[in-house]
Amino acid sequence: MTIRTGLYLGVAAIALAAFLGAPPAPVSAQQTPPAGVSVGDSDLGGVVRSANGPEAGVWVIAETRDLPTRFIKIVVTDDQGRYVIPELPKNATYDVWVRGYGLVDSSKVKSAPGRILDLSAVTAPSEAAAAEYYPAQWWYSMMKIPEKSLFPGTGAGGNGMPEKMRSQGQWLASIKTLGCGSCHQLGNKPTRLISETLGKFDSSYAAWTHRLQVGPAAEIMIRNIGEIDTQRAIQNFADWTDRIAAGELPKSKPSRPQGLERNIVITLWDWAGPKDYLHDEIATDKRNPTLNANGKLYGATEDSTDLMPVLDPVTHTASQIRLHPRDANTPKGMFISQNRDFPKLPSPYWGTEEMWDAQTTPHNPMLDHRGRVWLTTRIRQPNTPAFCHKGSDHPSAKLYPIERAGRGVSVYDPKTSKLTHIDTCFTTHHLIFAEDANNTLWLSPGGAAAGYVGWINTKLFDETGDEQKAQGWTPMILDTNGNGKRDEGYVEPNQPVDPAKDKRIVAGLYGIGYNPNDGTIWGSVLSFPGGVVRIIPGDNPPATTLAEYYEVPWNEPRAAINGFGPRGMDIDRNGVVWVPLASGHMASFDRRKCKGPLNGPTATGKHCPEGWALYPFPGPQFESVSDNGSVQASYYTWVDQFDTFGLGRNVPFATGNASDSLEALVDGKFVTLRVPYPMGFHSKGLDGRIDDANAGWKGKGLWSTYAGRAPYHIEGGKGQTSKVLKFQLRPDPLAR
C-alpha cells in the first residue's frame, strides 16, 4: 500500500468513526426545501450541518461514473450552510459528500438529481486530521530555506553554496519556478512523506537521494539539484519530511471560501491515461472566445504520449487522436538531448515500465479562426533543413542562421481529421495568434538561452503551402544607439554596450502575448531575476525588428516591492503585461509608466522599475523566509480579456500550482478558485469560452486541466488521470 492510499483509508476511517455518532443524512425527494433553496429536475440542493450547526464555506461534491467518463461537480455552501448543485446530467446516480477545512470527509450518500438532500458534515477529531485536507502550499511552507547569510556562496572550499548562487532569492527560484515546482506540486502527500514503497533506507537523506533518481525525469531532477548546494538542499528536504512524519503541522491554516469564492461552480471530467500528463488544453480562439461554442477541447500531452486527448463536454465523452511526426525516426521520450544511459531507478508506482514515449512532445495548443488546433510539436530530428543555415537566401537565415531546433508546428483540422506539419528553423514552445490580416502565429522558443523569436504567416501558408516563405525569425536586438531603427551592425551579448551601435541580447521568450494596441509581441524570460521583452516587428521583419528588455526589480531601491523569477505571461487589452514570479507574486508591467528613455545606451533592462507592480499571492510564505511574497510559484498567467468568466474584462488569472487553485486578481485583491477534490490540481494553462452570450453565467466559463507530471500524485494515487475543469461564476451560491 502506498502512502497515498494509506492516507485516504486512514482519513476515511476517522471520518467513519466520527460519522457513526451522527444522524444519517436524509435522502428524501419529499423533504421540505430549506428557505431560499430551489431545485429543478437536474439539480441537488439542501443544507449542510455539523454538530456545530450550519457549515458555511464548505464544499459539496457530487461524483458519478455512470457517464462515458467520470464526472464531478462541486459547489460551496453559503453563510447559512445552504447549497445548490445545478445542471447535473440526469441519467446518472451520484455519490454526494461534504469536504471543508476544519472537517473530515462525510460519508458518501447516493442520490439522483431533482432532490432536496440535507447533509451531515463531520468535524475533524484533531488538528492533524483537519490538516490532511490543506493544500500543498501550507505543508511546503514548513521546509527550511538556506539563510541569507550563506549568500553569495563561497563554493566547495567555503560554505558549500555554489559561487554562482548570489542570493536566497536565486536559490528559491531554482527550486520553484526554474526547478521542482514547475513540474510537481511539492507539499502534497506523496512528496511530504517518504512512501514505504520507495524502499528501505538508513536515513531520510538517503531516501531523498534515491527519490531524485526515480522516474522518467530523473536526469532533469539531478541536473536541477546540482545547480544549488546539493547536500544542503537534500538535507533540508529530509529534515522537512522527518518533521512531518513525527507529527509537526503547518503553523497556519487555509481559510474557507469567502464572498465571490462561494459562487463558484466547478465541473470536472476525466481524460487521458493514467501515465499521461497534460501540459494544457484549448477550448476556443483567444481572439474570439465565442468560437467553438459548446465544442470539444483538445490537450497537449508533451513528453508523455502522442495521443492528444479530446473531451466533448456535451456528451461527456473523452477520446484521443494520435499525433505523428513527419520523420518516422524522430526520437522518443523527454528531450532530444537526453542521456539515454542515465541510470534511472524503478518507480514505486510503475517499476521499470517505460513511462513516456512521445515522439511529437506536443506542448501548447491554440485554436485559430477556423477552429483548427495548432500545436508546438517535434516533427523531425534536431538538425534543421538547409534553408535555415548560413549561406541560405532565406531573409531570416541571412541575418541569424539556425542549425538545430527541437519542436516545430503541427496543425490538426477537426473537420477533416488531417494533420499538417510545418518545419520551422526555430524551436517552438508557446504560441499566440496576432490580430492582423495574416493571422500571424508568433512562437516562443521556451528557454532564455535560445535568444530569438519566430513567426508563421498562416494566411500565406494556407494559400501556398510553402513553409519556407511563410516563416521568419529574429534575434533580440536592442536599439542602444537610440536612432529608432535596427542597424546592420550590433555588438554581441558578451560585449559591452557601444553607444554607436545596437546590441544583441540572449533573452529567449517563454510565455508570449500579443498587444492589440500596437501590434507588438511580449514575452517573459526565464532567468534570474528575469524580465519581459517587447518585440517591435517593424514594416519589414526581420530586418526592421527591434526589442526592448525590462528586468523585474530585484534589490532595486526605486521599487515598492522586489521580486524575481518570471514564468508564463499574458497581456491585457490595455497593453499591460501580467506575469507570475517565483518570489510569490503576480506582477504587472505597464510600459506607459516608464519615465526615462526607452532606447539608447542605458535602456538595457533596469531603466523602468516604476513600470512594475507586485501583488503577493495568498497563502503562507516559507517559515524561514522574511521577504514579501508566498510559497506559491505560479506557472502561468492568463488574462480574461473579454470577461468570459464574470469578474470583468482584463482580469488576470494565475495558476495556483501549490494551492489547488486559480488565482484571479480583482482590484488589487485575489479571488481564489479552489479545487478541493481531487487534491493535486496543478495547472499550467487555462482559457475562457463563451458558449452562449445570452445565457448569463451559464453561457460562460474558464477551462483548465490537471497538468502535474505525475498524475499518480493526484488524490487517489495510481490510476488517476488528468482532468478537464470548467469554472463558472454564479451571482450567488444558490443560483441554478
Side-chain angles (χ1 to χ4, degrees):
M1 180 181 294
T2 65
I3 285 291
R4 168 62 68 185
T5 305
L7 159 67
Y8 292 105
L9 289 177
V11 171
I14 293 172
L16 179 61
F19 187 75
L20 289 175
V27 192
S28 171
Q30 285 72 44
Q31 277 187 279
T32 302
V37 175
S38 173
V39 299
D41 60 2
S42 63
D43 313 319
L44 278 173
V47 178
V48 175
R49 297 182 179 88
S50 71
N52 299 322
E55 290 285 353
V58 299
W59 293 283
V60 179
I61 304 167
E63 177 180 33
T64 185
R65 296 178 183 269
D66 293 347
L67 302 174
T69 193
R70 180 163 62 150
F71 178 92
I72 303 166
K73 206 153 198 173
I74 303 171
V75 298
V76 188
T77 59
D78 71 0
D79 58 358
Q80 299 178 50
R82 301 174 298 181
Y83 77 94
V84 170
I85 306 178
E87 297 190 307
L88 291 167
K90 290 184 286 186
N91 55 332
T93 300
Y94 295 84
D95 288 322
V96 186
W97 75 98
V98 180
R99 172 171 289 186
Y101 300 137
L103 307 176
V104 294
D105 281 1
S106 66
S107 292
K108 295 179 180 179
V109 176
K110 294 285 186 183
S111 190
R115 298 183 178 183
I116 294 296
L117 180 65
D118 292 344
L119 297 167
S120 295
V122 182
T123 303
S126 66
E127 293 290 340
E132 295 290 352
Y133 299 91
Y134 293 177
Q137 179 176 355
W138 274 261
W139 291 96
Y140 195 31
S141 69
M142 298 167 61
M143 196 179 86
K144 295 176 181 177
I145 305 301
E147 300 84 358
K148 287 185 176 181
S149 61
L150 291 170
F151 303 95
T154 56
N159 63 7
M161 189 67 65
E163 294 180 15
K164 63 183 178 181
M165 278 289 153
R166 310 301 297 171
S167 66
Q168 187 187 67
Q170 186 180 357
W171 195 95
L172 283 168
S174 297
I175 67 165
K176 293 172 76 177
T177 294
L178 301 177
C180 318
S182 65
C183 297
H184 300 284
Q185 190 190 69
L186 295 183
N188 59 16
K189 194 72 173 185
T191 58
R192 69 177 181 255
L193 288 178
I194 302 294
S195 169
E196 292 182 358
T197 60
L198 193 66
K200 299 293 183 181
F201 304 96
D202 294 336
S203 66
S204 294
Y205 183 95
W208 269 98
T209 302
H210 179 94
R211 171 184 269 183
L212 292 172
Q213 300 174 72
V214 167
E219 181 185 356
I220 307 305
M221 292 192 288
I222 293 298
R223 183 195 68 189
N224 288 348
I225 203 77
E227 294 291 316
I228 57 181
D229 181 347
T230 304
Q231 186 173 8
R232 182 178 278 110
I234 294 177
Q235 186 57 56
N236 284 359
F237 275 105
D239 169 75
W240 174 56
T241 52
D242 281 345
R243 287 185 286 117
I244 291 173
E248 188 173 330
L249 300 175
K251 290 184 172 58
S252 63
K253 304 175 183 179
S255 60
R256 291 183 177 182
Q258 305 290 328
L260 290 172
E261 297 167 352
R262 295 182 179 178
N263 299 351
I264 306 301
V265 179
I266 306 172
T267 310
L268 302 91
W269 297 261
D270 277 7
W271 70 340
K275 292 183 290 184
D276 305 342
Y277 78 84
L278 271 289
H279 191 276
D280 48 23
E281 54 66 42
I282 195 67
T284 187
D285 183 349
K286 183 178 176 67
R287 303 164 296 178
N288 173 22
T290 62
L291 184 134
N292 194 39
N294 296 303
K296 295 179 179 180
L297 284 84
Y298 302 86
T301 50
E302 203 176 12
D303 304 309
S304 61
T305 180
D306 292 314
L307 296 174
M308 177 171 67
V310 181
L311 175 78
D312 186 334
V314 175
T315 63
H316 314 292
T317 302
S319 58
Q320 295 175 314
I321 297 168
R322 180 169 289 280
L323 304 176
H324 57 82
R326 177 181 289 180
D327 178 1
N329 294 319
T330 299
K332 288 185 177 182
M334 201 160 145
F335 297 108
I336 53 178
S337 61
Q338 188 178 22
N339 177 8
R340 300 293 172 184
D341 297 323
F342 183 84
K344 290 179 289 190
L345 300 177
S347 162
Y349 297 94
W350 303 100
T352 58
E353 184 178 348
E354 185 177 354
M355 287 287 294
W356 300 340
D357 61 357
Q359 287 183 291
T360 55
T361 66
H363 181 266
N364 187 217
M366 284 286 167
L367 290 188
D368 68 7
H369 59 293
R370 292 165 54 181
R372 296 177 299 181
V373 187
W374 293 71
L375 304 109
T376 52
T377 61
R378 201 161 65 196
I379 69 171
R380 53 157 169 76
Q381 299 184 59
N383 292 332
T384 58
F387 77 87
C388 310
H389 300 175
K390 186 176 182 180
S392 165
D393 61 359
H394 191 286
S396 292
K398 287 181 179 180
L399 297 173
Y400 193 75
I402 301 175
E403 295 186 353
R404 289 173 65 88
R407 289 188 180 96
V409 173
S410 295
V411 189
Y412 175 76
D413 189 341
K415 295 177 182 177
T416 63
S417 300
K418 181 181 179 181
L419 184 69
T420 302
H421 298 119
I422 303 176
D423 194 347
T424 59
C425 297
F426 49 89
T427 195
T428 65
H429 204 68
H430 288 103
L431 65 170
I432 194 76
F433 280 100
E435 298 176 27
D436 61 11
N438 293 323
N439 286 300
T440 306
L441 183 66
W442 289 85
L443 303 111
S444 73
Y452 55 72
V453 65
W455 61 89
I456 298 171
N457 181 332
T458 66
K459 181 175 182 290
L460 177 62
F461 179 77
D462 285 338
E463 291 172 349
T464 67
D466 192 326
E467 63 186 7
Q468 296 184 30
K469 289 183 178 179
Q471 69 178 278
W473 65 93
T474 181
M476 310 296 186
I477 308 296
L478 302 183
D479 180 22
T480 45
N481 66 5
N483 66 0
K485 63 179 183 178
R486 175 165 164 172
D487 303 309
E488 290 187 10
Y490 48 79
V491 300
E492 294 295 334
N494 60 347
Q495 298 173 330
V497 171
D498 183 342
K501 294 183 178 181
D502 293 337
K503 180 175 176 60
R504 182 171 75 88
I505 60 172
V506 178
L509 309 184
Y510 185 78
I512 190 166
Y514 172 78
N515 185 349
N517 298 285
D518 59 11
T520 57
I521 305 301
W522 288 78
S524 52
V525 181
L526 267 63
S527 58
F528 186 88
V532 294
V533 172
R534 178 178 185 245
I535 306 294
I536 310 102
D539 56 9
N540 184 32
T544 58
T545 305
L546 285 169
E548 298 169 357
Y549 179 61
Y550 300 95
E551 190 171 277
V552 177
W554 171 244
N555 289 337
E556 172 55 65
R558 294 176 293 170
I561 302 177
N562 283 251
F564 53 82
R567 193 82 193 189
M569 56 74 63
D570 200 3
I571 192 168
D572 66 26
R573 303 298 291 185
N574 299 316
V576 178
V577 174
W578 294 90
V579 60
L581 301 179
S583 51
H585 300 88
M586 181 187 284
S588 67
F589 179 77
D590 189 344
R591 184 176 178 270
R592 298 169 298 180
K593 295 181 179 180
C594 296
K595 297 176 181 178
L598 301 181
N599 60 6
T602 62
T604 56
K606 298 180 184 293
H607 54 297
C608 185
E610 64 272 13
W612 291 91
L614 276 63
Y615 305 87
F617 280 122
Q621 177 61 287
F622 286 105
E623 294 171 4
S624 56
V625 173
S626 59
D627 289 341
N628 182 277
S630 81
V631 173
Q632 187 69 263
S634 172
Y635 188 92
Y636 221 90
T637 293
W638 173 84
V639 177
D640 192 0
Q641 296 181 354
F642 301 104
D643 190 21
T644 61
F645 184 59
L647 289 174
R649 289 177 178 265
N650 293 319
V651 171
F653 288 74
T655 58
N657 296 79
S659 58
D660 290 340
S661 69
L662 301 178
E663 302 287 350
L665 187 67
V666 183
D667 298 327
K669 296 182 179 180
F670 283 100
V671 176
T672 297
L673 284 61
R674 184 94 69 210
V675 182
Y677 172 80
M679 290 187 285
F681 176 51
H682 180 286
S683 177
K684 291 185 177 178
L686 65 151
D687 69 334
R689 188 170 75 188
I690 299 174
D691 292 325
D692 185 348
N694 298 315
W697 70 271
K698 288 187 177 183
K700 295 182 174 184
L702 299 186
W703 297 87
S704 189
T705 185
Y706 281 66
R709 288 197 174 207
Y712 34 91
H713 284 183
I714 299 171
E715 177 183 347
K718 184 178 179 180
Q720 281 284 11
T721 75
S722 174
K723 294 153 202 339
V724 176
L725 302 94
K726 182 180 184 181
F727 297 82
Q728 294 175 289
L729 180 67
R730 298 187 281 189
D732 64 75
L734 303 181
R736 64 179 183 87

